Structures are given as structure tokens and as C-alpha cells.
Amino acid sequence: MHGHSAIRFVDSHTEGEPTRVILEGGPDIGSGPVKGQLARLRDEADEFRRTVINEPRGWDAVVGALLCAPSDATCAAGVIFFNNTGYLGMCGHGAIGVAVTLHYLGRCELGVQRLETPVGVIEVDLLTPHEVSINNVASYRHRASVSVDVDGLGTVTGDVAWGGNWFFLVDSSPAPLDIEAVDELVAAAGCVRAALRRSGVTGADGAEIDHIEFFGPPRSADADSRNFVLCPGGAYDRSPCGTGTSAKLACLAADGKLRPGETWIQESMIGSRFQASYRPSDGDQIFPKITGRGYVCSEGKLIQQAADPFKHGIGSKPS
Ligand code: PYC
């Protein structure tokens, strides 16, 4: 068949949140550090991200994972995560999705593999074909108890923390953490993010805080907390968010509310869970460990016919 190109993928979900691993058909982004490969993907081939994630081939909640060559010889692969608006530093649910997908394809055994991400090396430990622990990049609280004036909500106070992405963590959710209230939560979190921008509240080195996290009491008796996470492109995380839970651990550790090795069970908006703990790192940093389950749910080829005006996805300029 001619007049089209194809991108081969496997979809999985981690505690409800989708990951699309790209197996073939990605652009040539060279080699070297994964951070540099991400820069080339973003600057020279961003239509690939839009093709994979945007409608009509994808949807707003899915996170893409492009496997690439690592520059760190101790790593089995490099991985670049992306979504409907851009690129992620790390992605916890996505790393679990990559691990269960590679095992499903017969490309890795149970046990530990190291992956190079744009923000550092992580370890994925495939405990069973579905259960994976990740040892995330060092995480830390950057600022505590920052107050901002938010449209419609008044003063909102939260912590700024790094867990592989930048988060603003608000302990008392402005709306119930029920799936019925998800539109209200998305709108409220969007207003918080706008207020942070307006007030010049950032992560380290002026980095944009693009994830907003609200917390409340858990529904199940053995969990510690329930969360809502607004992702950068406006979708909410169906899982408890691996990097968001890492940021939460960093705040709990900084407040002396969770000791090294102690377990924290984070429940998501849909009641799925991550089990989390940490070991201390240098200074104020911690190394989070997050355990969750992932399941492969489809595989196939994305087709781009040459004549299709939306071959790079809706939201791209029609060609
Ligand atoms: O699990 O780290 C995560 C994540 C980030 C955005 C969506 N999921």
C-alpha cells in the first residue's frame, strides 16, 4: 500500500491512566543524552507528538512514550514522555506502562531495568507481569506554604515540589474529590495554575509549575489520602500520578510526617492506588519508590494518509 506512513504502538493503562508506547515509525532524533533528543523532537519534529496524541488518533488523557537510545550505558533504553500540550520530564504511570508493555512484547524479563529520561535515570522493577515499582529521580520540596489569590477561590495555599515534574500541592481540595465533580476540579485547578503564573510563582530556575494537585481524605480505610491532579494539557490524571505522589512524599518528608521506608497509599480520583515510600538522599532530597499496576489494552498502527488534512491531528494547522 502506498501514500501513507504508519506508527506502530501498544497502549496500556496504569491504574486507569493511559500510556501509548511507540515501537516503530518515530522520527530520527539522533543520539546522545535523552534531554538533547527531547529538544530535537520538540524543535524539529513536534508534529509526531500531535499525530500520536491528538484526535482523531489519540485523546487528551493519553501520555506517549517514545523509546530511544540511551547515552548512559547502564540503561536498557531511553524514554521521552509527551502529552497533548508538550513534553514531560518524567512520568510515573508512563514508566510503569513502558515496563508492562516491554514485558508483554517479550522484550524484558521480570526484574530491574534502568531507563534514561530527560530529567535523570530511573529504575523500573517488574515484580510480576503487571506490578511494577519505580525508583524515581530525586525529589524535593522547593517552597512551603505559598499563598496565591485565585479567581473564584480566594486565597489558596500550597507547596511547590519537584517529583520529576513541577507540582503545586494543595492540602484541602476546593471541591469534593468525586468523579462527578471532575469538571469543577479541572476548572479550579486551571485557575490555581493561572494565579501561580500571574504571581510569578515558579519551580527552581523559573520553571513553570504545570501540574496542580489537590488532596483530601481517602475513601478506602487502608489508604492515606485521595488526590486530583491536573495535567499540563487540561486532562486529569486517572492514576494517583507517579511524579505527583513523589512530590507529595517530598513534602511529607520535609514536614516530618512520613519516615524513610514507611508506606504511603495514595488513592486517585477513580479509586486506583499507588503504594509509595522513600529513602533519604543528600540534603533535603528524597528518592521515591512508587508501586502500581499496569495492563496492556490495545496495539496497532496509526495511519497517516498523505491526503489527510488532519494527518498531524486536530489542533495542528490542516495541510
Ligand atoms: O504518573 O507521573 C505521572 C504522570 C504525570 C502526568 C500524568 N501522569
Side-chain angles (χ1 to χ4, degrees):
M1 229 183 296
H2 30 238
H4 77 260
S5 60
I7 298 170
R8 214 158 69 77
F9 70 91
V10 170
D11 282 350
S12 62
H13 76 85
T14 300
E15 306 293 353
E17 180 75 349
T19 305
R20 173 164 284 179
V21 177
I22 306 303
L23 303 173
E24 273 172 33
D28 179 2
I29 49 172
S31 56
V34 169
K35 191 176 176 187
Q37 295 188 53
L38 182 156
R40 286 191 289 279
L41 179 60
R42 183 191 57 220
D43 298 344
E44 296 162 23
D46 187 60
E47 68 279 2
F48 171 76
R49 175 187 64 77
R50 289 178 266 124
T51 302
V52 170
I53 304 293
N54 287 357
E55 293 180 12
R57 295 171 188 80
W59 69 105
D60 63 350
V62 72
V63 169
L66 179 63
L67 301 174
C68 58
S71 66
D72 183 323
T74 67
C75 292
V79 58
I80 299 170
F81 295 108
F82 50 93
N83 62 16
N84 56 342
T85 195
Y87 299 84
L88 293 161
M90 223 303 273
C91 181
H93 93 265
I96 293 172
V98 167
V100 299
T101 295
L102 293 179
H103 185 265
Y104 165 81
L105 293 168
R107 293 193 189 178
C108 80
E109 304 285 320
L110 299 185
V112 180
Q113 308 278 345
R114 286 162 66 82
L115 297 176
E116 182 179 337
T117 78
V119 294
V121 171
I122 62 157
E123 282 178 357
V124 292
D125 186 1
L126 205 55
L127 306 169
T128 74
H130 301 299
E131 193 177 24
V132 181
S133 289
I134 59 169
N135 289 315
N136 195 9
V137 294
S139 301
Y140 62 99
R141 180 162 71 184
H142 176 60
R143 291 182 64 186
S145 297
V146 177
S147 293
V148 280
D149 194 16
V150 179
D151 288 348
L153 297 177
T155 302
V156 173
T157 302
D159 290 355
V160 177
W162 170 257
N165 296 299
W166 282 105
F167 288 82
F168 189 69
L169 301 94
V170 178
D171 268 343
S172 51
S173 175
L177 296 177
D178 294 330
I179 206 71
E180 294 74 25
V182 82
D183 291 346
E184 195 183 338
L185 288 160
V186 166
C191 290
V192 171
R193 190 162 58 196
L196 293 170
R197 267 190 211 135
R198 211 169 40 235
S199 317
V201 177
T202 67
D205 301 324
E208 185 191 0
I209 300 168
D210 54 3
H211 292 73
I212 307 296
E213 196 165 3
F214 297 144
F215 294 90
R219 300 289 191 274
S220 43
D222 63 339
D224 294 285
S225 162
R226 188 175 177 94
N227 70 3
F228 163 88
V229 179
L230 181 71
C231 298
Y236 75 94
D237 197 333
R238 281 68 169 158
S239 84
C241 191
T243 51
T245 301
S246 299
K248 176 69 174 173
L249 293 181
C251 296
L252 290 165
D255 285 333
K257 291 182 176 163
L258 191 73
R259 291 189 302 276
E262 219 178 313
T263 298
W264 179 265
I265 295 182
Q266 187 65 59
E267 199 178 76
S268 75
M269 283 295 291
I270 63 165
S272 58
R273 314 136 64 97
F274 282 156
Q275 187 171 315
S277 61
Y278 72 91
R279 57 191 173 82
S281 166
D282 293 340
D284 296 339
Q285 306 200 343
I286 61 156
F287 284 119
K289 176 177 176 174
I290 309 287
T291 303
R293 291 156 305 163
Y295 303 89
V296 167
C297 46
S298 68
E299 60 183 310
K301 276 196 274 186
L302 305 177
I303 307 291
Q304 290 174 288
Q305 294 192 308
D308 182 352
F310 294 110
K311 61 175 174 284
H312 298 313
I314 296 170
S316 306
K317 236 171 49 196
S319 49

